[in-house]
Amino acid sequence: MDGSVHHDITVGTKRGSDELFSSVSSNPYIMSTTANGNDSKKFKGDIRGPSVPSRVIHIRKLPSDITEAEVISLGVPFGDVTNLLMLKAKNQAFLEMNSEEAAQNLVGYYSTMVPIIRHHPVYVQFSNHKELKTDNSPNQERAQAALRALSSSHVDTAAVAPSTVLRVVVENLIYPVTLDALCQIFSKFGTVLRIIIFTKNNQFQALLQYSDGASAQAAKLSLDGQNIYNGCCTLRISFSKLTSLNVKYNNEKSRDFTRPDLPTGDGQPTMEHTAMATAFTPGIISAAPYAGATHAFPPAFTLQPAVSSPYPGLAVPALPGALASLSLPGATRLGFPPIPAGHSVLLVSNLNPERVTPHCLFILFGVYGDVMRVKILFNKKENALVQMSDSTQAQLAMSHLNGQRLHGKPVRITLSKHTSVQLPREGHEDQGLTKDYSNSPLHRFKKPGSKNYSNIFPPSATLHLSNIPPSVVEDDLKMLFASSGAVVKAFKFFQKDHKMALIQVGSVEEAIESLIEFHNHDLGENHHLRVSFSKSSI
């Protein structure tokens, strides 16, 4: 899990054509033009280098029916888009921003919020090229026309929505709602640029700015009247009279995703209940129109928040299980109240009593925190108690694992009424159903500042492997994972060295069982395999 797991997303090969680029590479290009026009040229020679900042952004794995406007809309929130090259036959595009700073903000943002275009995750990284050169092919003329239309016509968002800014009131606030929770909910409808939360007239409220009016309209239509948690925290959404939000600090009360450089404002008075009457002074919220907000692109892409962020204060934690599935009617959506401090015991139910063991729960829950004790209930073996080291880790484990399938059954996780797991009394044998792991060497989070803290991801079919000895090759690892019944779909060593790799199996359930089986597996040469969930696919 250590090392460069956060580079998962950028592993890949970039290609370019010297006719269209002024290349920073001196390698010769080999090209053959096909009858399909410019975007079908075959080229070689652009060897993937380090992720050096550049104004040119390389976008991969685009859906084949992507439009120029949709690609441009990825860049608009961060600054002016000065050039575009579409390589539709290769499902790729290159976007040139007006400044390197704008490009850095764009790549930083999309490394934490993977854009989803037409249900496909799209991968964004810096290009090896410092600028784009374009020609007069029909494809390029289309791209240039899209750019000209963007810069010349300031589309009136009123045609789509009165504003790109939504005012959100949360009624019946039984459980606290965080800024991060709102970001994840609203990001499903488009790019959230800025958000401010506050309490006014004893009501929890938020102002939330999208990059375009169509996204604001879609979010309002879909979410107005929905419950965040089961039977409470009802969203009431209206269009704000403001055209833009002016955010000064990135913290738990306000966030500007286009400005990762903003201070956290530590020591500044936060916008608490009593302060809100005076909080709306000039500077916290301004009506200055935002340049990018007037371009009404269709809500073609939404964002998938990841758990960690390269910027302090910009982490977007994943929401509790069912919250992520906003297609459910509000009345059936389940959520979790925050776990009070001092409570760290989880009740895990609907387990498969034939197969579950304390060790299996220790390894799985250990991905999200350090497990102190596990107890499988003697008279009801489909239930277990799992004691984490603190309430934050218990919340993380519950958020990520509730509803996941383990040995064929979706597990249910709630907060236990117990504050600790009792060990069996002296002389009372409980058939090994209770285990104390408080001194286990397998705890991932013992060291303060461990890289494991920034690499916590939801269960996925792709696993990150590390601590692989030099003698172990790809086939060894594929055979190892296949030996437990998993279907190995893809495998890739990291480019830097072969100590780390990604392996993709047939399903999330297979990945969960593989992690339980092979984390700490002895690979020889005093190397024990480390396994964790990856944030990207191969």
Side-chain angles (χ1 to χ4, degrees):
M1 178 120 109
D2 296 326
S4 54
V5 65
H6 54 283
H7 293 315
D8 282 3
I9 222 167
T10 59
V11 175
T13 308
K14 288 207 299 298
R15 299 179 176 133
S17 147
D18 65 351
E19 184 180 334
L20 302 173
F21 296 105
S22 65
S23 173
V24 293
S25 165
S26 59
N27 294 329
Y29 287 84
I30 305 159
M31 304 194 310
S32 64
T33 308
T34 68
N36 291 335
N38 202 55
D39 63 356
S40 295
K41 287 185 180 171
K42 294 173 183 169
F43 28 70
K44 296 179 182 177
D46 186 2
I47 294 167
R48 177 83 182 108
S51 199
V52 179
S54 160
R55 287 195 303 131
V56 180
I57 306 298
H58 180 210
I59 305 164
R60 298 183 292 121
K61 300 211 174 166
L62 290 166
S64 51
D65 53 352
I66 188 82
T67 65
E68 285 80 0
E70 286 170 317
V71 175
I72 294 168
S73 70
L74 288 168
V76 162
F78 304 92
D80 290 337
V81 178
T82 51
N83 213 340
L84 170 68
L85 170 65
M86 301 287 286
L87 299 173
K88 285 192 179 179
K90 299 197 171 293
N91 303 100
Q92 299 182 24
F94 290 84
L95 200 65
E96 183 183 276
M97 302 300 292
N98 64 330
S99 70
E100 201 170 280
E101 182 187 15
Q104 282 183 299
N105 286 345
L106 182 155
V107 171
Y109 179 63
Y110 290 131
S111 70
T112 65
M113 312 276 269
V114 179
I116 308 291
I117 301 184
R118 305 183 189 213
H119 309 295
H120 291 276
V122 169
Y123 298 98
V124 175
Q125 61 198 46
F126 291 115
S127 168
N128 288 349
H129 304 283
K130 293 299 180 189
E131 64 175 326
L132 290 180
K133 282 184 178 174
T134 49
D135 60 12
N136 298 321
S137 70
N139 292 335
Q140 273 315 107
E141 284 180 0
R142 266 205 314 278
Q144 295 306 309
L147 280 168
R148 281 195 299 276
L150 173 68
S151 55
S152 61
S153 70
H154 291 278
V155 183
D156 183 7
T157 50
V160 180
S163 171
T164 58
V165 180
L166 294 177
R167 176 173 170 263
V168 181
V169 176
V170 183
E171 295 177 350
N172 193 17
L173 187 77
I174 291 177
Y175 303 136
V177 173
T178 63
L179 179 147
D180 292 318
L182 289 176
C183 281
Q184 181 157 356
I185 292 166
F186 281 83
S187 288
K188 290 185 170 290
F189 300 92
T191 309
V192 175
L193 301 181
R194 302 175 183 87
I195 183 170
I196 297 170
I197 63 170
F198 55 92
T199 304
K200 188 178 182 184
N201 302 332
N202 284 329
Q203 280 187 316
F204 177 90
Q205 301 191 27
L207 288 164
L208 186 138
Q209 182 185 348
Y210 279 105
S211 62
D212 61 87
S215 296
Q217 183 83 283
K220 181 179 183 300
L221 286 171
S222 298
L223 297 175
D224 190 25
Q226 293 274 24
N227 295 330
I228 298 177
Y229 295 106
N230 197 28
C232 66
C233 299
T234 307
L235 295 169
R236 300 290 176 213
I237 302 170
S238 57
F239 288 107
S240 169
K241 293 185 175 68
L242 297 167
T243 55
S244 183
L245 302 180
N246 180 21
V247 172
K248 286 191 167 182
Y249 304 110
N250 283 332
N251 55 31
E252 74 282 356
K253 297 284 183 184
S254 61
R255 199 78 55 84
D256 185 335
F257 289 107
T258 70
R259 292 282 312 280
D261 54 313
L262 288 178
T264 57
D266 292 336
Q268 298 292 330
T270 54
M271 296 192 283
E272 294 300 344
H273 303 247
T274 53
M276 274 323 295
T278 55
F280 283 93
T281 51
I284 291 180
I285 298 177
S286 78
Y290 173 65
T294 54
H295 306 305
F297 287 112
F301 66 92
T302 55
L303 297 163
Q304 208 72 0
V307 174
S308 66
S309 159
Y311 306 117
L314 284 187
V316 184
L319 280 176
L323 262 179
S325 166
L326 286 164
S327 57
L328 293 173
T332 62
R333 194 171 311 125
L334 298 173
F336 304 99
I339 293 178
H343 289 256
S344 58
V345 180
L346 299 171
L347 172 62
V348 186
S349 55
N350 202 38
L351 294 166
N352 182 335
E354 306 297 318
R355 299 189 61 186
V356 76
T357 63
H359 176 78
C360 138
L361 295 174
F362 166 68
I363 295 294
L364 178 58
F365 281 72
V367 172
Y368 299 105
D370 292 338
V371 176
M372 298 292 111
R373 291 176 180 174
V374 177
K375 182 185 197 76
I376 293 175
L377 303 190
F378 184 79
N379 292 325
K380 210 173 181 190
K381 292 190 172 61
E382 61 273 18
N383 290 352
L385 296 174
V386 176
Q387 182 178 340
M388 308 296 289
S389 69
D390 61 42
S391 60
T392 305
Q393 294 182 357
Q395 182 89 55
L396 265 177
M398 183 163 76
S399 301
H400 286 298
L401 295 175
N402 182 65
Q404 297 288 352
R405 295 182 73 83
L406 174 62
H407 301 312
K409 301 185 75 169
V411 296
R412 300 279 169 254
I413 305 172
T414 55
L415 183 61
S416 168
K417 63 180 186 286
H418 300 285
T419 52
S420 66
V421 170
Q422 298 300 312
L423 294 175
R425 292 196 304 276
E426 281 295 324
H428 287 71
E429 178 53 54
D430 73 343
Q431 301 173 358
L433 295 176
T434 307
K435 294 281 185 184
D436 185 358
Y437 294 102
S438 51
N439 295 315
S440 171
L442 295 187
H443 285 166
R444 297 180 190 238
F445 303 98
K446 264 193 304 210
K447 289 184 196 160
S450 161
K451 285 180 183 171
N452 293 340
Y453 280 101
S454 59
N455 293 314
I456 296 172
F457 302 114
S460 71
T462 306
L463 296 167
H464 179 269
L465 313 180
S466 58
N467 205 33
I468 302 166
S471 61
V472 171
V473 297
E474 179 175 333
D475 282 349
D476 297 331
L477 291 164
K478 281 181 172 176
M479 284 171 64
L480 177 67
F481 277 75
S483 70
S484 70
V487 176
V488 178
K489 291 196 158 183
F491 182 92
K492 178 161 56 185
F493 273 116
F494 276 65
Q495 287 174 321
K496 278 197 309 185
D497 57 39
H498 280 199
K499 290 179 186 170
M500 290 192 290
L502 296 178
I503 189 164
Q504 187 178 337
V505 294
S507 65
V508 175
E509 186 177 0
E510 280 185 18
I512 287 172
E513 294 187 12
S514 296
L515 182 143
I516 291 167
E517 182 149 358
F518 298 121
H519 180 64
N520 200 45
H521 182 83
D522 189 350
L523 292 174
E525 300 175 47
N526 206 22
H527 283 67
H528 287 77
L529 185 65
R530 286 199 290 269
V531 185
S532 56
F533 297 113
S534 169
K535 67 178 175 183
S536 63
S537 54
I538 302 174

